[in-house]
Amino acid sequence: MKDIIFAYNKEKGEVFLKQLMGKNPLFTCVIGVTETAKIPGISAAGKNPELTDYTPPADAELLLFGKCKCISGVPVTPEGIPTPALITRAALKLADIPALVVSGGLKIKPQAPFVELGGSPGRDIRTGNAVEAVEEVIERAIIVGKSLAKTVDYLVVGESVPGGTTTALGVLSAMGVNAEGKVSSSMPNNPHKLKIETVKAGLEASGIKFGALATNPLKAISCVGDPVMPVFTGLVMGAADKIPVFMAGGTQMSAMLAIIKALKPDVLDNLAIGTTRWIISDKSADLVGLVKQIAEIPVLAINLDFSSSKFEGLKAYETGAVKEGVGAGGACIATILKSNGKISAKKIFIEIEKAYSQLMHSEVQ
Amino acid sequence: MKDIIFAYNKEKGEVFLKQLMGKNPLFTCVIGVTETAKIPGISAAGKNPELTDYTPPADAELLLFGKCKCISGVPVTPEGIPTPALITRAALKLADIPALVVSGGLKIKPQAPFVELGGSPGRDIRTGNAVEAVEEVIERAIIVGKSLAKTVDYLVVGESVPGGTTTALGVLSAMGVNAEGKVSSSMPNNPHKLKIETVKAGLEASGIKFGALATNPLKAISCVGDPVMPVFTGLVMGAADKIPVFMAGGTQMSAMLAIIKALKPDVLDNLAIGTTRWIISDKSADLVGLVKQIAEIPVLAINLDFSSSKFEGLKAYETGAVKEGVGAGGACIATILKSNGKISAKKIFIEIEKAYSQLMHSEVQ
């Protein structure tokens, strides 16, 4: 367990981990898109802004098949750094953890199985009218969460939504959480100023002041959120009534947490955030500072280290590129737990290198 | 266990039931439509042929929410006999068995969560070109089946596809199983002649002789099958590698069995068919006679008795209306098993009466 860092609320975190040791999880990944990601400079989750529509379905395909179908190669940043779905896939494979993809709202459908809840792609939050049918979709997600809770011991919920930290800043601001300068980025140089301006424009367009929607998260999502949020939080709330849930992601998780706290605070005791060391050591963001403002839930991080990688694309994670996504950190922690600690972060790293090498090779052919 | 009838291969059936006693299942329902159902007189799974497009999504909604959303009331036959989804819902609720809906191909999407595998609605089999992308869809369904097998002890797979016994006759004929006069019907007067003519037209249009596709079930589905078939059989094959699977349905199950036997015979030992007494005692059809021609898998039936019902719509089941669908028989058996026999068929009947009464009442309001 030395590979798991206790970043916040160690006491509860240790209890949480002990409870899940050797148990049988299901990994779910909520995918969706928002036009917000196409604002130049806001997201690196795609070779260029237009390609961000392909990143979530391609992540889903990589997760389920070990290779992408809707694009050649794998999703990369403009600098060519590969998607964290590689990490998630490798971890889940090692511990034989099943994965289920759930759509929040997509332009491109994955050529893979996914759960459909009727959500639509998100609009640019600067419209102040970002997400359709939030209430209906969240209700359906709750039903799925309840069903899944009857099948496994615990749930890990990850996400893939380019632009997701900006929409997180939007919802956190609408709900009165001080998040400016605290959300993370898939880029080494976090474009805080651009994110703040984008959110300000969205709040203005929807006529909402900072904190005005503290008790109305559904409206906060519909104004300045993204379509992954209702599905993610619905799954968590539906399942956490009965089983523990690992919220797997970076600073976006604080927005999810704020939404859940406002809608169903009694499940908070059944939650923890699982992320990566790269998020925790990110000096341009502050996950723990965000979580602290909302609820005292444990924050755990996998101590993955790519500094010895043979591949420049993976080494770049150590310089602050990508950091997290597709539930990578939570998936690694679940893998260690399911194996009762027999699978180490090092072993996951070796599996990632192997898989990435094979993918690079097959792409060249 | 006195409520479960052993209709075929009692010895194996007893072993199968014993193995599942007290275990934790997942109920999945594969829904889809085919234009074949709109041939006048072929299906009673809808008030009129055009409404058959609404029956599968409405069944899914009833299953998951206890009421329909895309139609008012519940799906009924032209005579007003209600859908067997009522039975399935009541049974699953009593034993707290989770349900997952999977789409084979739909015109109307359920206002409820469902798994999407990229399948399209089926064409009229008289075209000889009934189902698109069979291979892709079956591959995706296998992946889902494999994932689900990691979450629960066994799987129950049901279906809702109006016209499904005719497409079953189509595939059975293409694969060389003598099925004329043996498939069941949702109507008391089984329109065998019309079904046989329809299948003959389909085989002719696709240039296929009886039995010519004995070893090519994918082509049989694509020529004269329906879009539920690749999903249903894919789920079964994916899961049955690892866990037992209950194929829940009537004579359509023999077509599924023929497909599975041709593609993956090593899973046959992990399968049983679960159905209703109304199917077993149907003198106008012969489920056991069909199964015998394919594989010696157990056929079990729930001994539900609606003769004392307060409602004419339910009483009509005793005269041969509807008989089975939405995995009703298999769901009831799973409910009895999960409760270790504490829940009886009588108790399920009482729950059905209660739920139906509430639905009738709320419809009037």
Side-chain angles (χ1 to χ4, degrees):
Chain A
M1 310 302 294
K2 60 175 180 27
D3 294 336
I4 300 170
I5 302 162
F6 293 90
Y8 180 57
N9 204 333
K10 185 176 180 184
E11 204 178 326
K12 260 188 169 173
E14 281 177 332
V15 175
F16 196 86
L17 288 187
K18 210 172 160 188
Q19 190 185 2
L20 305 188
M21 189 73 82
K23 292 293 173 65
N24 199 26
L26 173 69
F27 179 84
T28 56
C29 185
V30 186
I31 61 176
V33 292
T34 161
E35 287 295 305
T36 315
K38 295 184 185 166
I39 300 171
I42 224 157
S43 173
K47 211 171 213 159
N48 62 55
E50 290 307 314
L51 277 181
T52 57
D53 283 342
Y54 287 84
T55 300
D59 277 342
E61 291 161 358
L62 185 54
L63 194 61
L64 296 173
F65 297 109
K67 61 181 178 195
C68 301
K69 298 191 166 190
C70 68
I71 61 169
S72 65
V74 301
V76 293
T77 69
E79 290 75 31
I81 320 302
T83 172
L86 282 172
I87 302 173
T88 315
R89 162 79 184 181
L92 299 181
K93 200 179 158 198
L94 279 176
D96 198 25
I97 295 174
L100 185 70
V101 170
V102 187
S103 168
L106 295 165
K107 292 209 164 165
I108 310 294
K109 307 280 179 190
Q111 292 170 33
F114 64 96
V115 178
E116 172 65 56
L117 301 176
S120 310
R123 279 186 286 267
D124 187 326
I125 63 168
R126 291 175 302 184
T127 61
N129 180 21
V131 187
E132 293 293 321
V134 173
E135 195 167 345
E136 271 170 86
V137 171
I138 208 169
E139 270 175 25
R140 292 178 195 166
I142 289 171
I143 287 178
V144 174
K146 276 186 203 287
S147 284
L148 296 178
K150 293 174 192 166
T151 68
V152 287
D153 298 322
Y154 69 102
L155 211 61
V156 186
V157 190
E159 56 66 42
S160 171
V161 51
T165 56
T166 304
T167 51
L169 177 63
V171 165
L172 288 164
S173 302
M175 294 185 71
V177 178
N178 182 3
E180 287 188 5
K182 293 184 198 296
V183 293
S184 197
S185 168
S186 48
M187 289 172 267
N189 293 315
N190 197 331
H192 282 306
K193 198 165 156 272
L194 178 58
K195 290 181 183 178
I196 292 167
E197 277 166 11
T198 302
V199 166
K200 280 210 166 125
L203 292 175
E204 224 158 84
S206 51
I208 291 164
K209 289 212 165 63
F210 177 89
L213 299 178
T215 59
N216 194 348
L218 299 189
K219 189 161 179 206
I221 298 170
S222 73
C223 291
V224 290
D226 67 57
V228 160
M229 290 168 169
V231 175
F232 193 109
T233 56
L235 284 177
V236 172
M237 292 187 289
D241 242 357
K242 202 181 158 195
I243 57 171
V245 179
F246 236 130
M247 295 165 62
T251 51
Q252 282 161 267
M253 295 304 107
S254 63
M256 305 301 181
L257 194 60
I259 295 163
I260 292 163
K261 188 190 174 191
L263 293 175
K264 202 169 168 46
D266 56 305
V267 299
L268 291 174
D269 270 348
N270 236 352
L271 305 184
I273 290 172
T275 191
T276 63
R277 176 177 54 79
W278 303 305
I279 286 288
I280 296 305
S281 55
D282 179 7
K283 288 191 171 43
S284 79
D286 187 7
L287 173 60
V288 169
L290 287 167
V291 171
K292 269 183 187 168
Q293 293 180 64
I294 303 161
E296 291 191 340
I297 77 160
V299 178
L300 309 161
I302 184 76
N303 192 6
L304 268 184
D305 187 341
F306 283 0
S307 56
S308 68
S309 176
K310 293 188 288 262
F311 303 101
E312 290 309 316
L314 296 181
K315 252 186 182 162
Y317 274 67
E318 294 299 330
T319 66
V322 184
K323 298 185 188 77
E324 169 65 290
V326 197
C332 289
I333 297 174
T335 290
I336 291 177
L337 294 175
K338 189 175 174 193
S339 76
N340 280 307
K342 280 185 208 112
I343 298 173
S344 63
K346 177 86 190 170
K347 196 161 173 183
I348 297 173
F349 169 65
I350 292 167
E351 177 70 24
I352 295 164
E353 293 262 298
K354 202 178 88 184
Y356 190 49
S357 163
Q358 282 167 355
L359 274 167
M360 304 275 275
H361 191 70
S362 68
E363 206 182 341
V364 170
Q365 284 181 321
Chain B
M1 310 302 293
K2 62 178 178 26
D3 295 335
I4 300 170
I5 302 162
F6 294 90
Y8 180 57
N9 203 334
K10 185 176 181 183
E11 203 179 328
K12 261 187 169 169
E14 282 177 333
V15 175
F16 195 85
L17 288 186
K18 210 172 161 187
Q19 189 185 3
L20 305 187
M21 188 73 80
K23 293 292 174 64
N24 200 25
L26 173 69
F27 179 83
T28 57
C29 185
V30 186
I31 62 176
V33 291
T34 161
E35 288 295 305
T36 315
K38 295 184 184 165
I39 299 171
I42 223 157
S43 173
K47 212 172 211 158
N48 62 56
E50 289 308 313
L51 277 180
T52 57
D53 282 343
Y54 288 84
T55 299
D59 277 342
E61 292 161 358
L62 184 56
L63 195 61
L64 296 174
F65 297 109
K67 63 182 176 195
C68 301
K69 299 191 165 189
C70 68
I71 61 169
S72 65
V74 301
V76 292
T77 69
E79 290 75 31
I81 319 301
T83 172
L86 282 172
I87 302 173
T88 314
R89 163 80 183 178
L92 299 181
K93 200 180 159 198
L94 279 176
D96 199 25
I97 295 174
L100 185 70
V101 170
V102 187
S103 169
L106 294 165
K107 294 211 161 161
I108 310 294
K109 307 281 181 190
Q111 293 170 33
F114 65 94
V115 178
E116 174 64 57
L117 301 176
S120 310
R123 280 186 285 268
D124 187 325
I125 62 169
R126 291 175 301 185
T127 61
N129 180 21
V131 187
E132 291 295 319
V134 172
E135 195 165 346
E136 272 170 86
V137 171
I138 208 168
E139 269 175 24
R140 292 178 195 166
I142 288 170
I143 286 176
V144 174
K146 277 185 202 287
S147 285
L148 297 178
K150 293 174 190 166
T151 69
V152 287
D153 298 322
Y154 68 101
L155 210 61
V156 185
V157 189
E159 56 65 43
S160 171
V161 50
T165 54
T166 304
T167 51
L169 177 62
V171 165
L172 288 165
S173 301
M175 293 186 71
V177 177
N178 181 3
E180 288 189 5
K182 292 183 199 298
V183 293
S184 197
S185 167
S186 49
M187 292 173 265
N189 293 315
N190 196 331
H192 282 305
K193 199 167 156 269
L194 178 58
K195 291 181 183 178
I196 292 167
E197 278 166 11
T198 302
V199 167
K200 280 208 167 128
L203 292 176
E204 223 158 88
S206 51
I208 291 163
K209 289 215 165 61
F210 177 90
L213 299 178
T215 59
N216 194 347
L218 300 188
K219 187 158 183 211
I221 297 170
S222 73
C223 292
V224 289
D226 67 59
V228 159
M229 289 168 171
V231 175
F232 193 109
T233 56
L235 285 176
V236 172
M237 290 187 291
D241 241 356
K242 201 180 158 197
I243 58 172
V245 178
F246 236 129
M247 297 166 62
T251 50
Q252 282 161 268
M253 295 304 107
S254 62
M256 306 301 181
L257 193 60
I259 296 164
I260 292 163
K261 188 189 172 190
L263 292 175
K264 201 167 167 47
D266 55 306
V267 299
L268 291 174
D269 269 348
N270 236 352
L271 305 183
I273 291 172
T275 191
T276 63
R277 177 178 51 81
W278 303 306
I279 287 287
I280 297 304
S281 55
D282 178 6
K283 288 193 169 44
S284 79
D286 187 7
L287 173 60
V288 170
L290 287 167
V291 172
K292 270 184 186 171
Q293 292 182 64
I294 303 162
E296 290 192 343
I297 77 160
V299 178
L300 309 161
I302 183 76
N303 192 5
L304 269 182
D305 187 340
F306 283 0
S307 56
S308 67
S309 177
K310 294 189 286 269
F311 304 101
E312 292 307 314
L314 296 180
K315 252 186 182 164
Y317 274 67
E318 294 299 331
T319 66
V322 184
K323 299 186 189 75
E324 169 66 287
V326 197
C332 290
I333 296 173
T335 291
I336 292 178
L337 293 177
K338 189 175 174 193
S339 76
N340 281 308
K342 280 185 207 107
I343 298 173
S344 63
K346 177 84 190 174
K347 197 163 173 183
I348 297 172
F349 169 65
I350 291 167
E351 177 69 26
I352 295 164
E353 292 262 298
K354 203 178 88 188
Y356 190 49
S357 165
Q358 283 166 354
L359 274 168
M360 303 276 276
H361 192 69
S362 67
E363 205 183 342
V364 169
Q365 284 179 325

